[in-house]
Amino acid sequence: MNNKIALRALFTAGLMGFASLALAHGDVTPQKVETKGLTPLGEEWVDENPYRAPSEDHDKAVQIGSSAYNQNCARCHGLEAISGGIAPDLRELEASYDGDEWFKERVINGAVRDGAVYMPRMADYLSQEALWAIRTYIESEAAKR
């Protein structure tokens, strides 16, 4: 009988430990992105990625976008923009107006299904310069495939 109690206690402790790991994934509040060095875009959203090559800002945008992506997007969309299946693989977006349109819609409006927030409205936290830099980084990763 003591073995049953000990086994239950061990099982319960294990479950509690596992649950604490699930809750200890860190700060999920979008992190500020420094965009110094990129051409300012203003308040009105542009329709296409202004930092896409051959833009003179391209290399700087990839650098800023890499850091910004890893701080704000990788936990769901995967390291180096390689999705593990939880969220869409952003490398699949076309590097064109159509892909930019989808990206822009999603970062401005977020993703909500049945009242559950799957992605916050990132434009509430990050500038369009930061978000287009992230898009530029994602495109650079897609080009490596």
Side-chain angles (χ1 to χ4, degrees):
M1 185 146 167
N2 283 341
N3 286 343
K4 275 188 170 180
I5 292 172
L7 189 57
R8 284 184 184 160
L10 183 60
F11 180 73
T12 302
L15 282 178
M16 289 175 58
F18 183 74
S20 70
L21 287 175
L23 297 173
H25 61 279
D27 187 359
V28 294
T29 303
Q31 302 298 302
K32 185 176 188 287
V33 176
E34 177 58 57
T35 59
K36 185 177 180 181
L38 292 177
T39 301
L41 302 174
E43 295 297 316
E44 187 73 26
W45 272 81
V46 297
D47 290 329
E48 292 187 67
N49 184 352
Y51 304 132
R52 183 175 290 128
S55 166
E56 65 183 39
D57 288 328
H58 179 265
D59 292 343
K60 185 70 172 174
V62 169
Q63 178 187 15
I64 290 170
S66 173
S67 175
Y69 176 90
N70 286 310
Q71 291 177 36
N72 294 292
C73 312
R75 68 179 50 91
C76 295
H77 290 282
L79 295 174
E80 297 178 354
I82 301 170
S83 176
I86 293 173
D89 190 324
L90 300 176
R91 297 171 306 156
E92 298 294 326
L93 289 176
E94 292 181 37
S96 66
Y97 176 82
D98 291 335
D100 291 346
E101 182 178 45
W102 187 91
F103 178 83
K104 181 178 154 183
E105 189 279 327
R106 189 62 82 198
V107 298
I108 291 172
N109 298 311
V112 178
R113 278 180 264 159
D114 299 323
V117 176
Y118 285 80
M119 181 176 140
R121 296 177 348 180
M122 297 302 287
D124 289 352
Y125 303 97
L126 303 177
S127 68
Q128 79 165 310
E129 291 86 356
L131 291 164
W132 285 122
I134 290 170
R135 171 84 165 122
T136 305
Y137 164 71
I138 293 166
E139 289 177 7
S140 76
E141 290 299 307
K144 293 177 183 178
R145 296 185 339 157

